[in-house]
Amino acid sequence: MLTDLQVALNPQSIAIVGASENPNRIGGRPLSFLSRFGFKGRVYPINPKRTETQGYRTYPTLADLPEPPDVAVIAIAGDAAVKALDACGAAGVKFAIVITAGFGESDPVHGKEREREMTRRAHAHGMRIIGPNTQGLANFGTGAIASFSTMFVEVEPADGPVGIISQSGAMSVVPYGLLRQRGIGIRHAHATGNDCDVTACELACAVARDPDLRLLLLYLEGLPDPHHLAEAARIARARGLPIIALKSGRTVAGQMAARSHTGALANEDRVVDAFLEHHGILRARDMAELVAGVELYLKGWQPAGKRLVAVSSSGATCVMAADAASMIGMPLADLQASTTAELARILPGFATTTNPVDLTGALLTNSRLFGESLRILARDPAADAFLLGFPVTGAGYDIDLFARDAAACARATGKPVVIAAPQPGVSARFRAQGLPVFAIETQAVEALYRFMQHRDLITRAGRRKNVNREASLPMARVNMDSSARMLNEAASLAIVARAGLRVIPHRLCRSVDEALAALRDFGAPVAVKGCSADVAHKSELGIVRLNVDGPEALGTAYAEIKAALEAHGAASDGVIVARMASGGREMMIGAHRDPVFGPVIVIGDGGKYVEAMPDVQLLLPPVSEEDVFHALSKLRIAPLLKGVRGEPPLAVDAFAAAVLGISRLMMEPLRGIVSIDINPLMLDAERCMAVDAVVFQDEPA
């Protein structure tokens, strides 16, 4: 039975294989840290050439230790590291942290196979591996610093409420350094390297259980085990711990770099976005965004909405704050008439009493105006958050009073208050009052909005039914090239209908007489299409005829379609005669099984240009109606769905029901559905109807 990861995070004993007297060498740095940062457990340096290292009794081999250590740090190179790993297993070590590089990150084939063999041998002894190619683990709550990072020498540690987990060694300590400069303490700073056994996501499951953490930051280059990250998110939501992830490899160039750096498998980026959103994890675009709003999370604020009130002594700051809020979709609060009237009573006539509130230079003559204005604004129910801008403030301004008043507003209302102040001497006064401070208003607004957006993500994720996605993941391993077969349109539409979607009335005809009978039953005009399991895109082969309005035209269409199929060497399963769909908006629903994430739903604008001008959103089952409406709101065509220029709104409820039907279908692995493409799906004011569909289904073994 493998040991719980809490042992790696809170070990009672640590061995250093390859221990060095020199604290600036890889084998000496962890030993120095354990002493310097107050580790209370037992430390066992291993070096056959020494009897004492940095004041610790030193042992020649692991077999000579008085007990099996919880953790062993392997700080020797090459084949010696692999031999040391085997020795760790034989000695009963629970976790081996392999600092050594030169495995899968430099040789994706043989190096990865070597890692797999190392893992197999370790598991045979009940041991887990962290690494290889890792800087190690650092828990500043216990002083268990099994790491060689130089950052901990350059920037003094302090225990705190933030945890950092990274597949990259450097990216485990860059956010550490940035946050420590702002006085924020870090509890965990862990790097997992090549993730050959314990992955960053699995480690996140353990770290998320730390009751003293209030924010968890992740840096990921690959995501081969999303189930662990989903579990970490579930644990975190249960205890109110937000997670922010920086997933690199957004571009093709970045994905190639990720492969060469840590051997990580880069995942299709839009699916990563959908996965993180599904589980309430906020995705950062870069390192600056990862750490920008950390102070907001540490305040414990729970804003009810996103409406912003901006207050400044500068009209330009007010304008730029309004611009920044508008550009990212953050509404400015509409202040009540009573609020503006109260402001008008205390402010000079040249001040602006609507939102944004421009206090002007009046603060130079009356410093109390700032606090009085805040108290009035704080009572307005439309105010969800406050941005206070101080672009130029110095001699003559009572900055300490401003800072105290701003902090009092935050305490009294429990609402977020952020400061924009570029002058170091000014910003320091507000930080001393525990307020989040940014250099410019745009940074403040963006950080505030992302914080509020994250609360929405977490809330939506928490409302979803606790459905086991893992039941559908085995089908994700289907190889489309070898085992999946495409069904013809008639069979595809039948599957779509069984999923609960409304399907265009149609009939599969294998003779002209059958086609004529369908024409009589449906009434002219009709659509006539070739039906073949060899053809996914029928219009490109010229086997679609629309608005066929009589028996003669039908006979001609039938003959031409059969001839076109034969000319292209495509098998013919007959000809579909369908009622013509008219009016409404062409939409699409697609679904496929991602090789890593399992079922993925794609929804959006449809028609023949869907690939040339995509306007789509991705969702991961299980999908809720709320998820569909939220995704639709992010489409470029979202305003059209509500009805424009006198047109009625479209039946998005019916569209959402269709999406939920496909979601349920894709969650049933026994169906063997590999992918579905429903395009177009006609959406009008009353109904949603599938007109065409292509389904790939796994062939039974």
Side-chain angles (χ1 to χ4, degrees), residues 19-33 36 54 147-154:
S20 171
E21 181 68 18
N22 186 345
N24 290 321
R25 300 193 65 174
I26 288 178
R29 187 68 57 73
L31 204 57
S32 171
F33 285 161
R36 176 176 173 178
Q54 295 187 36
S147 168
F148 70 95
S149 177
T150 305
M151 184 67 78
F152 305 148
V153 178
E154 301 298 320

Side-chain angles (χ1 to χ4, degrees), residues 6 9 163-165 188 190 200-216 218 228-243:
Q6 294 298 334
L9 297 175
I164 303 165
I165 301 175
H188 299 274
H190 307 311
C201 297
E202 185 182 2
L203 190 62
C205 294
V207 172
R209 290 185 167 91
D210 188 325
D212 295 323
L213 272 198
R214 295 166 68 185
L215 180 65
L216 180 57
L218 306 178
H228 278 132
L229 186 51
E231 175 63 8
R234 185 195 64 77
I235 294 167
R237 288 196 307 273
R239 53 169 301 257
L241 174 70
I243 301 177

Side-chain angles (χ1 to χ4, degrees), residues 503-549:
V503 172
I504 191 78
H506 66 282
R507 190 174 302 166
L508 177 60
C509 305
R510 293 182 171 83
S511 69
V512 174
D513 288 341
E514 290 182 356
L516 290 171
L519 173 64
R520 289 192 298 271
D521 290 345
F522 295 144
V526 294
V528 184
K529 299 179 281 185
C531 187
S532 172
D534 294 336
V535 180
H537 302 291
K538 293 179 281 294
S539 59
E540 295 175 7
L541 268 64
I543 57 173
V544 177
R545 302 289 186 275
L546 302 178
N547 292 304
V548 176
D549 59 2

Side-chain angles (χ1 to χ4, degrees), residues 259-430:
R259 290 190 184 99
S260 62
H261 181 47
T262 61
L265 175 65
N267 308 119
E268 205 282 320
D269 200 59
R270 289 189 303 167
V271 183
V272 173
D273 276 339
F275 174 84
L276 295 177
E277 180 174 335
H278 184 87
H279 293 286
I281 299 172
L282 183 68
R283 184 173 187 178
R285 292 173 296 185
D286 51 33
M287 184 56 65
E289 201 168 82
L290 182 70
V291 301
V294 165
E295 288 93 338
L296 287 155
Y297 289 88
L298 303 185
K299 301 298 292 182
W301 286 322
Q302 301 285 337
K306 296 190 180 75
R307 295 168 298 182
L308 177 68
V309 172
V311 181
S312 179
S313 59
S314 162
T317 295
C318 288
V319 172
M320 288 188 287
D323 284 345
S326 297
M327 284 189 289
I328 61 174
M330 187 176 193
L332 290 174
D334 290 325
L335 301 177
Q336 292 183 340
S338 58
T339 300
T340 57
E342 282 191 76
L343 289 174
R345 280 196 292 272
I346 66 168
L347 294 176
F350 50 84
T352 303
T353 58
T354 55
N355 188 22
V357 179
D358 179 8
L359 301 177
T360 73
L363 292 182
L364 267 173
T365 56
N366 185 353
S367 296
R368 291 191 302 275
L369 284 178
F370 178 70
E372 291 173 6
S373 298
L374 279 187
R375 285 187 282 276
I376 292 170
L377 291 165
R379 293 194 292 270
D380 195 302
D384 295 319
F386 299 88
L387 165 68
L388 312 179
F390 296 90
V392 181
T393 312
Y397 290 95
D398 193 341
I399 302 169
D400 289 323
L401 177 61
F402 298 162
R404 291 195 298 272
D405 286 340
C409 175
R411 286 193 302 271
T413 63
K415 297 176 180 180
V417 175
V418 296
I419 310 299
Q423 296 168 274
V426 174
S427 62
R429 312 280 184 76
F430 286 96

Side-chain angles (χ1 to χ4, degrees), residues 85 142 144 153 167 193 232 260 276 295 435 438 468 493 566 573 634 653 696:
L85 190 63
T142 64
V153 178
Q167 290 168 328
S260 62
L276 295 177
E295 288 93 338
L435 294 170
F438 301 85
N468 182 15
L493 286 172
E566 184 176 349
D573 299 323
K634 295 192 290 183
D653 289 349
F696 279 83

Side-chain angles (χ1 to χ4, degrees), residues 407-590:
C409 175
R411 286 193 302 271
T413 63
K415 297 176 180 180
V417 175
V418 296
I419 310 299
Q423 296 168 274
V426 174
S427 62
R429 312 280 184 76
F430 286 96
R431 283 198 180 94
Q433 291 292 331
L435 294 170
V437 181
F438 301 85
I440 58 177
E441 56 283 334
T442 301
Q443 294 173 346
V445 170
E446 288 180 351
L448 181 59
Y449 181 75
R450 284 176 58 78
F451 167 71
M452 292 174 160
Q453 185 184 43
H454 196 181
R455 306 310 310 183
D456 289 347
L457 286 183
I458 293 170
T459 300
R460 285 203 308 274
R463 283 200 291 259
R464 291 191 186 95
K465 293 180 180 178
N466 187 22
V467 178
N468 182 15
R469 268 184 60 84
E470 299 308 304
S472 66
L473 289 182
M475 273 296 299
R477 311 306 174 191
V478 168
N479 184 338
M480 286 281 292
D481 294 330
S482 63
S483 62
R485 64 186 179 94
M486 187 178 76
L487 306 184
N488 66 35
E489 182 182 345
S492 297
L493 286 172
I495 286 176
V496 168
R498 286 199 295 272
L501 277 71
R502 187 171 183 173
V503 172
I504 191 78
H506 66 282
R507 190 174 302 166
L508 177 60
C509 305
R510 293 182 171 83
S511 69
V512 174
D513 288 341
E514 290 182 356
L516 290 171
L519 173 64
R520 289 192 298 271
D521 290 345
F522 295 144
V526 294
V528 184
K529 299 179 281 185
C531 187
S532 172
D534 294 336
V535 180
H537 302 291
K538 293 179 281 294
S539 59
E540 295 175 7
L541 268 64
I543 57 173
V544 177
R545 302 289 186 275
L546 302 178
N547 292 304
V548 176
D549 59 2
E552 183 177 349
L554 180 62
T556 300
Y558 188 97
E560 289 176 348
I561 288 171
K562 296 288 284 186
L565 286 170
E566 184 176 349
H568 287 92
S572 175
D573 299 323
V575 168
I576 289 179
V577 177
R579 183 172 291 162
M580 280 296 300
S582 60
R585 183 81 191 179
E586 290 188 344
M587 302 289 287
M588 65 87 64
I589 301 175

